[in-house]
Amino acid sequence: MNYRKKFIVEPGSKVRLTKIDPSYTGKHESDKTAIPEIAKDVGRMDRLQYLLYADASQSLLIVLQALDAAGKDGVIRHLFTGMNPEGTSVFGFKQPNESELAHDFLWRAHLHAPGNGEVVIFNRSHYEDVLVVRVHKLVPRSVWSKRYDLINDFEKMLADNHTRILKFYLHISPDEQLARFKQRLDDPGRNWKISESDYSERELWPKYVEAYEDAIAFTSTKHAPWYVIPSNHKWFRNLAVSQIIADTMEEMGLKLPPSRVDIADIRRKYHAAKRETRGKTSKASR
Ligand code: AMP
Ligand code: MG
């Protein structure tokens, strides 16, 4: 199954999240058949990241958005394990600090966008400025409503600068969210994930859905597409996301760059050094 085709939000099309089954698992009945596939895709991601870093002429930006407990952290932990930390980073978008608030809303996103050869994962993103900000009326409509175009222009600029952009909305149901909240309560190892606002945010679910539907519909573009990923099953979420990332990287034409030095000349230097070391060691042993 080609999950890029299946889950992409076609540019210009509407999104009705309530019509999309968050429990979808396609041909897979359980994680048994999915796990080897995920391992293969994670392996492809690792191999391609090595090439991206070596080649250093393009970059990759992955945006993860979702309601609480949908699995943003899980995706990062499970799928980016093999990528070399040299060349890979995660930036989490928290409530903006004073200096961030003193700038335009895209400033901090631009500051953390990937440079040549880098992979950057946005755990939440500049989209919060048309999501939480809209739902909580942190700025007037006249301000947030202009941001979709600004986001599209910003992402176009990144894309023109050789950044591939992939945006994922991890789609869960309210029931699944409550089940995960229960796990967080019951498992002391997960208590730290509980946040004061979990239940008040949950009450705003329909408002968030509305804001997400608009954001995704207005900003899914050819150069920065959105994918809506059924995420009630964590293993299926991992399968779909890893395949989409690996397939996209496969398309980037990544290859080892030609050597920057004259290899024949360096080889001569190596042999000269080797001869010299041999000469020294044989003198020392005399
Ligand atoms: P978490 O991702 O659970 O660590 O929480 C980060 C919190 O910061 C979430 O509640 C976000 O909605 C909030 N946040 C992120 N960006 C913004 C923003 N631009 N304005 C207001 N709140 C934000
Ligand atoms: Mg949270």
Side-chain angles (χ1 to χ4, degrees):
M1 170 66 78
N2 181 332
Y3 295 130
R4 271 203 301 181
K5 275 206 183 126
K6 176 124 188 96
F7 298 132
I8 193 167
V9 174
E10 290 296 344
S13 70
K14 278 206 175 125
V15 189
R16 285 288 159 259
L17 291 175
T18 44
K19 295 261 151 59
I20 300 173
D21 177 11
S23 291
Y24 177 90
T25 59
K27 70 176 167 66
H28 296 276
E29 280 172 11
S30 75
D31 61 353
K32 254 205 204 88
T33 49
I35 284 171
E37 267 189 52
I38 298 170
K40 223 185 274 172
D41 288 334
V42 167
R44 285 200 294 151
M45 284 165 58
D46 297 347
R47 181 175 54 77
L48 291 159
Q49 185 256 336
Y50 183 83
L51 297 179
L52 179 82
Y53 186 72
D55 178 50
S57 66
Q58 301 181 68
S59 60
L60 178 65
L61 174 62
I62 294 164
V63 170
L64 297 176
Q65 283 288 162
L67 292 169
D68 289 318
K72 297 187 297 296
D73 296 313
V75 163
I76 295 168
R77 195 151 64 89
H78 288 103
L79 303 186
F80 294 92
T81 47
M83 284 194 179
N84 187 347
E86 191 164 36
T88 310
S89 59
V90 180
F91 183 72
F93 286 68
K94 306 287 180 191
Q95 288 195 7
N97 62 29
E98 208 178 317
S99 126
E100 288 164 347
L101 277 176
H103 291 82
D104 67 88
F105 80 101
L106 289 169
W107 180 73
R108 67 172 169 169
H110 204 174
L111 209 56
H112 294 96
N116 286 340
E118 293 174 353
V119 176
V120 171
I121 301 140
F122 279 179
N123 183 350
R124 301 186 190 270
S125 65
H126 45 295
Y127 283 93
E128 291 294 328
D129 290 280
V130 289
L131 295 165
V132 65
V133 165
R134 166 173 164 174
V135 169
H136 285 276
K137 302 187 168 68
L138 301 180
V139 299
R141 172 183 282 264
S142 59
V143 173
W144 60 252
S145 62
K146 291 199 186 83
R147 290 183 170 168
Y148 304 102
D149 287 342
L150 295 170
I151 289 174
N152 285 336
D153 288 347
F154 168 62
E155 292 178 353
K156 178 78 168 65
M157 177 182 60
L158 297 185
D160 284 350
N161 199 44
H162 317 295
T163 300
R164 270 307 267 263
I165 305 171
L166 293 174
K167 302 180 295 200
F168 295 99
Y169 172 68
L170 309 180
H171 181 46
I172 57 166
S173 61
D175 285 352
E176 178 61 23
Q177 186 193 52
L178 202 57
R180 293 184 189 183
F181 281 176
K182 182 174 183 328
Q183 272 186 329
R184 290 178 177 188
L185 268 178
D186 294 347
D187 176 359
R190 293 178 200 248
N191 282 174
W192 67 274
K193 290 190 176 182
I194 300 173
S195 121
E196 200 69 64
S197 62
D198 285 347
Y199 293 88
S200 52
E201 288 298 274
R202 179 179 162 78
E203 275 174 29
L204 297 168
W205 193 290
K207 291 237 173 336
Y208 271 108
V209 166
E210 211 183 323
Y212 265 109
E213 286 179 344
D214 278 351
I216 293 170
F218 297 159
T219 65
S220 198
T221 55
K222 199 165 170 291
H223 55 271
W226 274 104
Y227 297 89
V228 175
I229 308 294
S231 297
N232 273 4
H233 297 281
K234 295 174 180 175
W235 57 267
F236 183 77
R237 170 202 78 199
N238 290 346
L239 176 69
V241 172
S242 61
Q243 190 206 76
I244 291 168
I245 295 174
D247 283 357
T248 303
M249 293 180 83
E250 218 59 90
E251 240 179 42
M252 290 170 71
L254 301 167
K255 52 184 181 335
L256 290 174
S259 174
R260 277 184 282 264
V261 297
D262 178 345
I263 292 287
D265 185 45
I266 298 292
R267 204 181 294 282
R268 275 191 294 278
K269 286 183 180 158
Y270 165 78
H271 286 296
K274 189 84 189 158
R275 273 196 302 277
E276 200 174 312
T277 322
R278 234 187 260 136
K280 271 187 196 148
T281 42
S282 57
K283 252 187 227 160
S285 61
R286 244 183 257 152

